[in-house]
Amino acid sequence: MDGGILEEHTEYVVNAIHRILDQYKESYDVRAKEGAATSGNLPKSVILVGHSMGGFVARAAIIHPRLRKAAVATVLTLSSPHQSPPVTLQPSLGHYFAHVNQQWRKGYEVQTSHTVHYVSDPILSHVVVVSVSGGYNDYQVRTKLESLDGIVPPTNGFMISSTGMKNVWLSMEHQAILWCNQLVVQVSHTILSLIDSRTGQPFPDTQKRLTIFTRMLRSGIPQTFNWMMQSHLASQESKHVLVKDVKDAAGSLVHASTACPRNVYWGDDGFERDIYIQTTTVTVLAMDGRRRWLDIQKLGSNGKSHFIFVTNLAPCSGVRLHLWPEKGLSTSSLPLSSRVLEVTSKMVPIPSGPAPTQIEPGSQTEQPPPSAVFRLGPEDMHGFRFLTISVAPRPTVSGRPPPAASMAVGQFFNPEEGKIELPPLLMLQSIYSQKQDMLVKEDHPLVLNLSFTISLGLLPATLSLETAGCGIKNSGLQDEAADVESSRLCKLRCFPPVALVWDETSGLHIFPNMYSKKIVVDSSPALWTSTMGSDKTTVLLLVDPHCSYKTSIAVSATAAAGRFLLLYGPQIIGFSIAVILFALMRQARAWDLDLPMPSMVTAVETNLRMPLPFFLLAIVPILVSLFLSFLMSQPFPPLASFIIVSVICYLFANGSIIILVLVSQLVFYVAAIVHIFIKTRWEVWEGKVNFACVRWFINLSSSFFSLKVVRVLQGNPSLVTALAAIILVFLVHPALGLFVLLFSHSLCCHSMLCCFLTASFRSHARRKELFDYKNKGNDGSRQFTSKSDGRSNQRLPLEENSSNSPDSSKSFGDTQLEIFHHRHGLLILHLVAALMFVPSLAACLQRMGMGQSFPWFLDTALCTGVILHGICLTKPEFNCFLFSFPSIRSTEVRLDFIYLVAGYYSFLCGLALVPDRVFYIMAAIGIISFALRIVHRRNIEKGEVYMVSRKHSHRH
């Protein structure tokens, strides 16, 4: 989480690549010199595989100026952020990411001359990048950050989630993606497939390598819910492919492009054992070696123009599907477009649950789960009359139990009949009420299309399917026994449901044996960069049409809150800075209007009041972001979700800041009370107890503080703080400099609060004694005189004079309290800024002793501006106007307006998920404050001071 460390790692990777290639050359030269046999070509490039930040470092190494040309042509990343860091807190880290991504965008642009003539291909045209995401279980790097959109064109790379990867189908944690066996095996086979067996080198052709990645990693199911278009494109492609004719098991001519291998042969039994299906649903319960005929024109009428087929039979060796222009076709006299088309290759494997247990050989306790899905659209079946499903005979293996029972269910259906839209209100009601139940009766569509209008990445839902019936009548048993028997028979008859989940951001997720699962996807549907439709999740349920189901949907409040904080954490951080700046704006405004300066808690609560303050500070920045999207011709996010989620994040930020303010204020009050108590007791004990060692220490301390150097430093605490902080920022780490500034704020807050509490206690004691004096008369007067010591008699009149003076509008205690509120606000702002640098500081401490380098200049420059902000605005009287426009009469730009603009900028940074950019506006405020303080001092020296503050002179 440090830009400097990433840059050092990039240098190391470049050197390692060069050393690896040089090692091959050195070894080749030594063998040739010794006369040993040498064959083959030397490697000219390496394949980089990076995990997490290592994947980004691999991309950074490719655009490094010292990397040899074409030294890297293939990059595979695992759970690597490409768009931006998971949480962009350090400015240099965000700048480094933006720089690398910008170089990659330029690398894929065609090189042209000044006269816009073609010069050469893009610099990175030979580089292929594939990003593998861990899915919803990866809590450190979200899928949206792993996308290559806008960085690598689709012709040179893609992103795929492990949940939709062939032979994997699992979501995995950030570290588990390194050792998950399914993924490791699939990735290893993919990398080995990139090597040309003839040359021993990776394939030089970019499209060849990309095709291998696509074939080895992607499943046949589209990664986004666009199945209708996918089916249409596949059918168009199949019509334009030149093929040769081969004969199937029945002797009919079929297209070789979609036919099964020739070595798969079941025998030719003719049409004697064929079955002619008269219903829209066809069921296969055994490998009987028979062929089912389905009349497309008859069964596909009444809008049921789509066909779906799920099975656990192996394609080609277990089941084969053909499209026929007419029944019994066996001659080759017809043109190519009218011959039999085998579509078995359209069958897509899906993950299957565990096989059913067998109590005894040949028996089972439940229906086996499907392992493949097959779908045909109206475009695929256009021009054909019949669809046949050919099932192979059951294989017999001597000495072994027969395999578990096979299953296959197909159906002609209308996609509109199975659509169920779940409104947001239904989802939200399930958080605090009972589960929302729906009954799906028998003879329903095999495909149920559940459309969630709120993304399941935002509200993870537990979807439960319970078998309610399967067409079996009650056998007369008792209710409980009947339920058990019905459940047993239904499990034996109905195959386990399968859920196919699509989300625009994260792609495909498959949940086998989906009786009860928490469905969650990894998407951010309400971001400024999101597109319309990303706030929806589509769930396709493949359920047995012979059975009825009771469906339950429930949303957990804790799960929803956890996902919300995970997805929108960076946004809340940016909003937190905006909340603090808005509160400082409220304090500066109160000082300018000669009103009591509110505390941070009061200022934050004032900004949350409805309707005007909340609308101006929460809703207007969101509208500004939409207006900026319009100006920059960017796509609009889902408006309802974007506004609602942004407002909730703003409220989260306000709550977080209020808690932080209350905790810090409690600490200061406790420390001040303890300090006053100890000081009071010490004043009492000082005259009664004579400690020689204590007096010696006090004398030594007084002599030390009387030194001229110490007195100069005491007289200029701001200068000392600034020098110490800036030195640490430039030479060690920016976080340490900010900690020095926080220490200065803390000392000032503690001192001001102690003065306020002391004045409050004495004022309370004074009022109590005056009250006793009035009640007791002359006796009370003598008691008052005896109780008051000399020190109190000297101080109380001063306080009384300060509060009753005609030149004073506030008492001494109130003034100290306002200074405390002012410095406390600066403390909270700079505390959050320092915490944003803590991850970078922790990374640097871990590398201590491995070579130290100076911090990035960007970090040091911005933190210097933040320090100047804290040093130049140490007192509230500096909240004067910053500058005015001479040409415009009575126009002044005050500090409260600057804080308002800074808050808006921080709000937009939070919406854009770049909270590190708030340092730019904080540094700008510091630089402006520093410049105007210098101008103010020069005006004092010239005697041309113009104070616009309406406070009285004693405050200056």
Side-chain angles (χ1 to χ4, degrees):
M1 297 297 290
D2 183 85
I5 295 177
L6 287 184
E7 189 176 28
E8 294 177 5
H9 287 182
T10 302
E11 293 276 353
Y12 173 80
V13 170
V14 171
N15 294 332
I17 293 172
H18 293 168
R19 185 56 184 160
I20 291 172
L21 296 177
D22 291 342
Q23 283 279 70
Y24 278 101
K25 187 176 185 306
E26 292 172 4
S27 177
Y28 183 88
D29 294 340
V30 169
R31 291 198 309 271
K33 186 176 181 180
E34 295 178 351
T38 57
S39 60
N41 298 324
L42 289 176
K44 298 179 181 179
S45 65
V46 298
I47 299 175
L48 295 182
V49 179
H51 170 251
S52 190
M53 282 295 184
F56 175 78
V57 169
R59 286 202 306 113
I62 293 177
I63 54 100
H64 196 277
R66 289 199 304 107
L67 184 69
R68 298 173 187 173
K69 186 177 181 180
V72 178
T74 305
V75 179
L76 178 67
T77 66
L78 305 174
S79 293
S80 297
H82 294 291
Q83 298 292 335
S84 64
V87 182
T88 314
L89 300 179
Q90 185 190 24
S92 62
L93 182 61
H95 174 76
Y96 190 59
F97 260 80
H99 169 72
V100 172
N101 287 339
Q102 182 64 24
Q103 293 298 318
W104 270 76
R105 295 185 186 98
K106 292 182 179 178
Y108 285 109
E109 296 177 355
V110 177
Q111 303 297 308
T112 59
S113 62
H114 296 288
T115 57
V116 198
H117 289 292
Y118 172 83
V119 175
S120 64
D121 291 334
I123 301 175
L124 300 179
S125 60
H126 65 287
V127 180
V128 172
V129 183
V130 174
S131 175
V132 179
S133 69
Y136 53 86
N137 281 332
D138 190 346
Y139 296 101
Q140 296 186 35
V141 181
R142 298 172 299 281
T143 301
K144 191 175 183 63
L145 300 179
E146 301 173 63
S147 172
L148 298 172
D149 294 342
I151 302 175
V152 179
T155 56
N156 290 76
F158 59 87
M159 185 202 73
I160 185 171
S161 175
S162 61
T163 58
M165 185 183 296
K166 186 187 300 185
N167 299 330
V168 180
W169 312 109
L170 296 172
S171 174
M172 48 200 68
E173 187 262 340
H174 189 66
Q175 299 297 330
I177 198 171
L178 291 172
W179 50 260
C180 176
N181 185 65
Q182 291 96 317
L183 187 137
V184 170
V185 170
Q186 194 68 18
V187 168
S188 300
H189 289 172
T190 302
I191 295 177
L192 293 176
S193 302
L194 296 173
I195 308 301
D196 190 348
S197 59
R198 297 172 298 177
T199 62
Q201 304 290 334
F203 289 103
D205 183 63
T206 301
Q207 294 305 314
K208 177 68 174 179
R209 283 178 281 132
L210 189 64
T211 302
I212 293 174
F213 274 119
T214 303
R215 175 173 53 85
M216 296 293 294
L217 298 182
R218 280 183 171 174
S219 65
I221 302 177
Q223 296 297 304
T224 57
F225 185 61
N226 199 10
W227 215 349
M228 294 291 293
M229 182 62 65
Q230 184 78 10
S231 177
H232 175 69
L233 293 176
S235 63
Q236 294 296 325
E237 292 176 0
S238 64
K239 292 180 180 179
H240 290 85
V241 175
L242 296 177
V243 296
K244 296 181 179 180
D245 296 343
V246 296
K247 290 187 177 182
D248 69 346
S252 302
L253 295 178
V254 299
H255 291 284
S257 61
T258 56
C260 292
R262 292 187 176 184
N263 57 354
V264 180
Y265 185 76
W266 300 346
D268 186 6
D269 296 334
F271 299 93
E272 293 79 8
R273 303 183 66 244
D274 287 359
I275 303 175
Y276 300 94
I277 306 300
Q278 303 298 326
T279 59
T280 57
T281 301
V282 57
T283 304
V284 178
L285 296 178
M287 298 182 68
D288 50 12
R290 306 181 72 177
R291 178 167 49 187
R292 279 83 173 165
W293 287 81
L294 293 89
D295 191 333
I296 297 174
Q297 183 176 353
K298 177 181 178 182
L299 302 180
S301 58
N302 298 325
K304 297 182 179 181
S305 57
H306 292 72
F307 180 79
I308 190 78
F309 183 75
V310 294
T311 181
N312 70 334
L313 298 172
C316 292
S317 61
V319 64
R320 300 175 70 170
L321 296 98
H322 297 80
L323 290 173
W324 300 67
E326 61 182 74
K327 187 167 60 176
L329 180 67
S330 60
T331 64
S332 59
S333 58
L334 296 176
L336 181 64
S337 59
S338 301
R339 299 175 187 174
V340 179
L341 176 67
E342 180 167 6
V343 290
T344 308
S345 61
K346 290 181 176 290
M347 191 176 297
V348 179
I350 58 175
S352 59
T357 57
Q358 297 186 30
I359 300 177
E360 58 185 25
S363 67
Q364 64 183 46
T365 57
E366 60 185 55
Q367 188 76 284
S371 60
V373 60
F374 171 86
R375 182 185 181 278
L376 292 176
E379 296 85 1
D380 300 311
M381 295 182 288
H382 180 71
F384 296 94
R385 177 63 187 275
F386 291 96
L387 169 68
T388 59
I389 304 173
S390 304
V391 181
R394 179 185 297 273
T396 56
V397 181
S398 177
R400 294 184 181 181
S406 56
M407 57 78 55
V409 178
Q411 184 186 64
F412 284 92
F413 71 102
N414 183 357
E416 298 297 328
E417 294 180 357
K419 281 189 175 181
I420 302 175
E421 186 170 345
L422 300 173
L425 184 61
L426 180 68
M427 299 284 294
L428 296 175
Q429 285 179 348
S430 63
I431 296 179
Y432 56 87
S433 62
Q434 298 294 328
K435 295 182 179 180
Q436 306 299 321
D437 297 337
M438 297 180 295
L439 181 63
V440 181
K441 298 182 179 180
E442 297 177 10
D443 198 22
H444 55 76
L446 193 151
V447 179
L448 299 180
N449 186 351
L450 305 183
S451 179
F452 292 83
T453 52
I454 296 183
S455 172
L456 295 182
L458 188 61
L459 293 180
T462 300
L463 182 62
S464 302
L465 290 176
E466 182 181 351
T467 306
C470 52
I472 301 176
K473 297 182 179 179
N474 193 347
S475 58
L477 299 175
Q478 299 295 329
D479 292 342
E480 183 175 354
D483 292 340
V484 173
E485 179 66 15
S486 177
S487 176
R488 186 186 67 83
L489 293 175
C490 287
K491 285 185 177 181
L492 186 61
R493 181 173 183 179
C494 309
F495 66 83
V498 178
L500 284 75
V501 183
W502 275 271
D503 182 82
E504 183 173 329
T505 302
S506 55
L508 173 67
H509 309 262
I510 299 182
F511 297 86
N513 287 25
M514 225 293 301
Y515 284 111
S516 181
K517 291 285 181 65
K518 179 186 291 185
I519 300 181
V520 55
V521 296
D522 190 22
S523 66
S524 301
L527 297 179
W528 191 358
T529 55
S530 300
T531 58
M532 297 295 290
S534 60
D535 57 340
K536 297 181 180 180
T537 302
T538 302
V539 179
L540 286 187
L541 287 178
L542 305 180
V543 288
D544 199 316
H546 303 96
C547 305
S548 61
Y549 297 90
K550 184 173 70 173
T551 306
S552 302
I553 300 174
V555 176
S556 171
T558 56
R563 293 297 302 182
F564 185 88
L565 295 177
L566 175 67
L567 296 176
Y568 303 102
Q571 187 168 319
I572 295 175
I573 294 174
F575 287 175
S576 299
I577 300 293
V579 169
I580 299 173
L581 292 172
F582 289 151
L584 294 178
M585 173 202 68
R586 189 69 63 182
Q587 289 184 340
R589 184 64 175 169
W591 181 271
D592 288 339
L593 297 178
D594 199 14
L595 299 174
M597 179 174 290
S599 64
M600 285 293 291
V601 174
T602 305
V604 174
E605 291 177 350
T606 304
N607 291 331
L608 288 175
R609 291 178 182 174
M610 299 290 288
L612 192 58
F614 185 82
F615 178 80
L616 292 178
L617 302 180
I619 305 299
V620 172
I622 300 175
L623 300 179
V624 170
S625 68
L626 297 175
F627 179 71
L628 293 176
S629 298
F630 173 76
L631 292 181
M632 295 182 293
S633 300
Q634 293 181 351
F636 283 94
L639 296 182
S641 301
F642 177 63
I643 295 176
I644 293 174
V645 170
S646 299
V647 170
I648 293 176
C649 289
Y650 182 73
L651 296 177
F652 260 98
N654 279 271
S656 303
I657 295 303
I658 289 177
I659 293 175
L660 180 61
V661 170
L662 291 177
V663 171
S664 61
Q665 192 168 314
L666 177 63
V667 172
F668 279 121
Y669 268 90
V670 171
I673 293 174
V674 172
H675 183 195
I676 295 174
F677 175 79
I678 295 175
K679 183 178 180 180
T680 305
R681 292 300 180 185
W682 174 253
E683 291 176 352
V684 175
W685 294 341
E686 186 179 6
K688 298 180 180 180
V689 182
N690 186 12
F691 294 104
C693 60
V694 174
R695 292 187 177 277
W696 173 83
F697 178 76
I698 294 175
N699 294 332
L700 181 62
S701 301
S702 61
S703 61
F704 172 77
F705 286 106
S706 63
L707 296 176
K708 185 176 181 179
V709 177
V710 177
R711 284 189 283 110
V712 172
L713 295 178
Q714 283 182 327
N716 299 275
S718 299
L719 179 61
V720 175
T721 302
L723 289 176
I726 292 175
I727 290 174
L728 290 175
V729 163
F730 274 89
L731 300 181
V732 186
H733 195 275
L736 299 180
L738 294 178
F739 289 153
V740 172
L741 181 63
L742 292 178
F743 182 72
S744 174
H745 288 327
S746 301
L747 288 181
C748 180
C749 289
H750 178 73
S751 176
M752 295 300 104
L753 193 58
C754 287
C755 294
F756 164 72
L757 293 178
T758 301
S760 299
F761 293 156
R762 287 172 178 165
S763 178
H764 177 71
R766 175 71 174 172
R767 288 194 299 268
K768 182 177 180 182
E769 291 172 350
L770 290 175
F771 179 77
D772 294 340
Y773 171 76
K774 292 179 180 179
N775 290 339
K776 296 183 180 181
N778 294 333
D779 294 337
S781 177
R782 289 192 293 270
Q783 293 177 5
F784 173 77
T785 305
S786 62
K787 289 181 180 179
S788 301
D789 57 2
R791 186 178 297 105
S792 299
N793 289 333
Q794 293 176 1
R795 293 183 179 179
L796 287 175
L798 292 176
E799 297 173 14
E800 185 178 355
N801 291 337
S802 66
S803 64
N804 299 329
S805 172
D807 295 333
S808 175
S809 61
K810 298 293 180 180
S811 66
F812 173 79
D814 293 338
T815 303
Q816 301 304 307
L817 182 61
E818 289 191 350
I819 297 176
F820 167 77
H821 290 160
H822 171 73
R823 291 298 289 268
H824 189 216
L826 294 180
L827 171 68
I828 296 299
L829 176 64
H830 298 145
L831 174 61
V832 176
L835 293 177
M836 293 175 68
F837 271 97
V838 167
S840 173
L841 178 62
C844 292
L845 292 177
Q846 291 177 355
R847 300 178 69 251
M848 187 174 296
M850 300 174 60
Q852 190 68 23
S853 60
F854 291 110
W856 273 41
F857 178 77
L858 178 64
D859 293 338
T860 57
L862 294 178
C863 286
T864 301
V866 174
I867 292 172
L868 293 177
H869 177 217
I871 297 299
C872 297
L873 298 178
T874 53
K875 296 181 180 180
E877 54 258 32
F878 297 136
N879 289 355
C880 59
F881 77 98
L882 295 179
F883 56 89
S884 62
F885 298 97
S887 59
I888 303 177
R889 190 174 181 181
S890 301
T891 301
E892 299 172 350
V893 179
R894 297 177 176 270
L895 188 63
D896 58 336
F897 180 77
I898 299 298
Y899 281 140
L900 176 64
V901 174
Y904 268 53
Y905 179 82
S906 301
F907 201 109
L908 295 177
C909 291
L911 289 176
L913 299 185
V914 284
D916 61 296
R917 295 186 182 177
V918 300
F919 281 95
Y920 292 90
I921 196 66
M922 287 194 290
I925 296 175
I927 294 173
I928 295 174
S929 303
F930 178 71
L932 293 174
R933 279 293 300 275
I934 294 177
V935 173
H936 177 67
R937 285 185 178 274
R938 289 182 178 179
N939 291 337
I940 291 177
E941 295 174 358
K942 295 179 181 180
E944 300 175 355
V945 183
Y946 172 66
M947 302 299 294
V948 297
S949 177
R950 296 180 177 85
K951 299 293 181 179
H952 294 283
S953 60
H954 81 279
R955 312 191 84 158
H956 306 293

